[in-house]
Amino acid sequence: MLSIDLAGQSRTNLGKKESKGIRANGQIPCVLYGCGENVNFTVEAKAFDKVIITPNVYVVNLNIDGKARKAILKEVQFHPVTDNVLHVDFLEITEEKPFSIKLPIKVVGHAEGVKLGGKLKVKMRKMKVSGLLKDMPEILEIDVTSLGLGQSVKLANVAFNNLTIEEPKSSVVCTVMATRESSK
């Protein structure tokens, strides 16, 4: 998995008023949970943009007051009008404990049904999987080469090494739809 480094400072003053002051100073209030006690800290807003303005999923190497921790982004709260980041939740991860994350899906190959005039329709862009950090890929690749007209790829037919899919097995990842061109 891709990783990125972020530096933060711990904070003890919690609440609406303090959070508003933190945001006014160009910082984002954050919380790290998952391994023991929750840690409240702040991160510089400009440094955090690299994490959210991307389609990639990162392991975040947090340095909070000199203490290094690995985490994943769990939730980001945005302002409803300005889209500024209001608050961020991180989940601390370790090498030996499995965790859940939504990873992007990449469809690879040229489907047989598309060659016959059909249209490939991707219905799922991200998939929730769980596993160990060492087994997490950057993206989940699904091969559609053998997919014919009217056929689809369901999660029941997909498997990844050392990962558990945490979505309904009946969910459709992609399908080849018939078009007027394919019916000629």
Side-chain angles (χ1 to χ4, degrees):
M1 265 183 98
L2 296 172
S3 65
I4 193 166
D5 298 330
L6 281 179
Q9 296 98 18
S10 62
R11 64 185 181 115
T12 53
N13 296 338
L14 306 176
K16 186 186 270 188
K17 185 177 180 181
E18 286 78 11
S19 295
K20 197 172 187 178
I22 289 169
R23 288 186 208 101
N25 291 331
Q27 302 278 320
I28 300 172
C30 305
V31 65
L32 174 71
Y33 60 91
C35 290
E37 189 174 308
N38 292 351
V39 178
N40 294 294
F41 64 100
T42 61
V43 171
E44 194 172 318
K46 288 184 181 182
F48 187 72
D49 284 347
K50 297 175 188 172
V51 179
I52 60 168
I53 304 176
T54 178
N56 300 323
V57 178
Y58 290 102
V59 171
V60 181
N61 298 317
L62 289 171
N63 184 348
I64 305 169
D65 294 333
K67 188 173 181 181
R69 296 176 176 213
K70 285 188 179 197
I72 57 170
L73 194 65
K74 206 57 178 174
E75 185 180 354
V76 180
Q77 295 175 7
F78 295 96
H79 189 277
V81 176
T82 64
D83 276 345
N84 292 335
V85 177
L86 295 177
H87 187 269
V88 180
D89 289 346
F90 290 96
L91 175 65
E92 188 169 5
I93 58 173
T94 60
E95 296 287 337
E96 61 275 347
K97 186 178 175 186
F99 62 95
S100 297
I101 190 168
K102 280 194 164 206
L103 293 176
I105 296 172
K106 181 180 180 183
V107 177
V108 295
H110 195 69
E112 290 294 323
V114 173
K115 292 177 186 176
L116 298 172
K119 182 176 180 180
L120 182 68
K121 178 112 172 142
V122 179
K123 305 225 180 217
M124 188 179 279
R125 299 282 178 195
K126 287 190 172 189
M127 182 186 315
K128 188 173 183 180
V129 295
S130 66
L132 297 174
L133 179 59
K134 67 180 177 73
D135 298 324
M136 289 289 174
E138 292 176 29
I139 57 172
L140 301 170
E141 291 187 349
I142 297 179
D143 186 22
V144 295
T145 308
S146 62
L147 209 57
L149 277 173
Q151 294 181 332
S152 59
V153 175
K154 292 186 178 181
L155 290 182
N157 305 334
V158 176
F160 301 101
N161 291 338
N162 301 323
L163 295 178
T164 305
I165 298 172
E166 295 187 347
E167 302 270 355
K169 297 290 183 190
S170 61
S171 297
V172 175
V173 177
C174 60
T175 185
V176 176
M177 299 175 68
T179 60
R180 282 186 258 179
E181 181 68 29
S182 63
S183 60
K184 289 182 181 178

